[in-house]
Amino acid sequence: MANNLLTKFDYERFFSEGILYDFYKEQMARDLIANADIQIQEYIALNQSRMRRLDKTYTPSKELQELVRNLNHKTYWLVLTEHWCGDASQTLPVLNKIAELSQGKIELKLVYRDQNLDLMDAHLTKNGRAIPKLIQLNEHFTITGIWGPRPNEVQELVNKLKANPETAATYASDLHLWHARNKQKAMEKEVSKLIVKANLFCPHCLS
């Protein structure tokens, strides 16, 4: 749920200050070298590997391609993320491919969570600053949908794993194994619902 203190002008500003996916990857590579935290370096390296794989192998389904082709309205995707976030590494390449497929109908910008806590705190997940978080906006920078940090199916799995003391410490391995087996099908289903919501909005009905 969006914080009422944020206006469409705030979202427009956040979007204008956001960065493109390719520049995000460039900053990620620099962060890998410069970050003093060895564990964070390991996370970033793993995430780079996952993103490179998806950049090369992921292709949106025919159904999703058709949905994107039939998108009628300009749509902005604003995504909160961080280089160390494993879920983001499974998500950003997919969103980027879909945005590229849209031929300009969908514009994707990324912003860093820890540099934009006012935005993050307007879109908490069960009072937590979970990322990635996708905020879908129309051409007036009004919210038409929210997604993240994970597909509902795997979120249920994560909840169960974290609740079990025997699996809580190693849940991340099961999480990424699920992603590998699911091949973005669950995410595509949920992102498709977002695109449907974007199409339902009439941009000329409101100013």
Side-chain angles (χ1 to χ4, degrees), residues 23 28 31 37 40 48 62 73 84 93 97 108 112-113 115 137 141 161 185 188-189 193 200:
F23 187 56
M28 194 174 187
D31 191 11
D37 189 319
I40 295 296
Q48 283 182 314
K62 291 181 180 179
H73 310 310
W84 45 258
K97 283 286 185 72
L108 171 67
Y112 292 105
R113 181 193 73 172
Q115 297 174 14
L137 304 158
F141 293 93
L161 292 171
K185 291 179 181 178
E188 279 199 351
K189 183 177 180 180
K193 292 180 180 178
L200 290 174

Side-chain angles (χ1 to χ4, degrees), residues 79-123:
V79 183
L80 285 149
T81 183
E82 289 286 348
H83 298 152
W84 45 258
C85 178
D87 285 298
S89 71
Q90 300 282 5
T91 297
L92 299 182
V94 176
L95 297 178
N96 182 62
K97 283 286 185 72
I98 297 170
E100 288 181 337
L101 179 67
S102 77
Q103 297 183 330
K105 294 178 183 178
I106 298 172
E107 286 191 36
L108 171 67
K109 289 285 191 72
L110 311 177
V111 295
Y112 292 105
R113 181 193 73 172
D114 295 346
Q115 297 174 14
N116 297 278
L117 291 180
D118 47 349
L119 176 62
M120 181 73 261
D121 288 346
H123 299 283

Side-chain angles (χ1 to χ4, degrees), residues 2-188:
N3 188 321
N4 289 334
L5 295 178
L6 293 182
T7 69
K8 64 181 181 179
F9 302 106
D10 293 316
Y11 287 102
E12 184 174 10
R13 174 177 57 83
F14 284 124
F15 192 85
S16 67
E17 294 173 354
I19 60 176
L20 298 174
Y21 178 66
D22 285 342
F23 187 56
Y24 175 82
K25 290 192 292 182
E26 292 176 11
Q27 291 188 329
M28 194 174 187
R30 291 196 289 270
D31 191 11
L32 176 63
I33 297 171
N35 202 300
D37 189 319
I38 299 301
Q39 188 174 42
I40 295 296
Q41 284 185 335
E42 292 175 354
Y43 290 154
I44 293 173
L46 274 173
N47 291 340
Q48 283 182 314
S49 177
R50 294 178 183 124
M51 291 168 68
R52 283 193 293 265
R53 175 179 57 81
L54 285 169
D55 284 338
K56 291 179 181 178
T57 63
Y58 172 69
T59 300
S61 67
K62 291 181 180 179
E63 292 80 9
L64 182 53
Q65 290 183 37
E66 181 69 16
L67 193 62
V68 172
R69 277 195 293 268
N70 291 328
L71 181 61
N72 296 321
H73 310 310
K74 183 72 175 183
T75 301
Y76 298 104
W77 281 355
L78 179 63
V79 183
L80 285 149
T81 183
E82 289 286 348
H83 298 152
W84 45 258
C85 178
D87 285 298
S89 71
Q90 300 282 5
T91 297
L92 299 182
V94 176
L95 297 178
N96 182 62
K97 283 286 185 72
I98 297 170
E100 288 181 337
L101 179 67
S102 77
Q103 297 183 330
K105 294 178 183 178
I106 298 172
E107 286 191 36
L108 171 67
K109 289 285 191 72
L110 311 177
V111 295
Y112 292 105
R113 181 193 73 172
D114 295 346
Q115 297 174 14
N116 297 278
L117 291 180
D118 47 349
L119 176 62
M120 181 73 261
D121 288 346
H123 299 283
L124 300 177
T125 301
K126 294 184 177 179
N127 295 319
R129 291 171 172 170
I131 52 174
K133 181 70 70 160
L134 165 61
I135 304 161
Q136 178 173 271
L137 304 158
N138 60 33
E139 65 183 49
H140 299 297
F141 293 93
T142 299
I143 296 172
T144 60
I146 304 288
W147 182 88
R150 307 179 179 105
N152 291 329
E153 181 180 339
V154 73
Q155 184 62 55
E156 292 177 4
L157 172 63
V158 168
N159 291 343
K160 291 178 182 178
L161 292 171
K162 284 187 171 183
N164 184 343
E166 296 182 0
T167 57
T170 59
Y171 83 91
S173 297
D174 292 305
L175 167 62
H176 290 291
L177 179 60
W178 180 92
H179 277 294
R181 291 174 173 171
N182 184 260
K183 299 185 184 300
Q184 290 70 52
K185 291 179 181 178
M187 182 177 171
E188 279 199 351

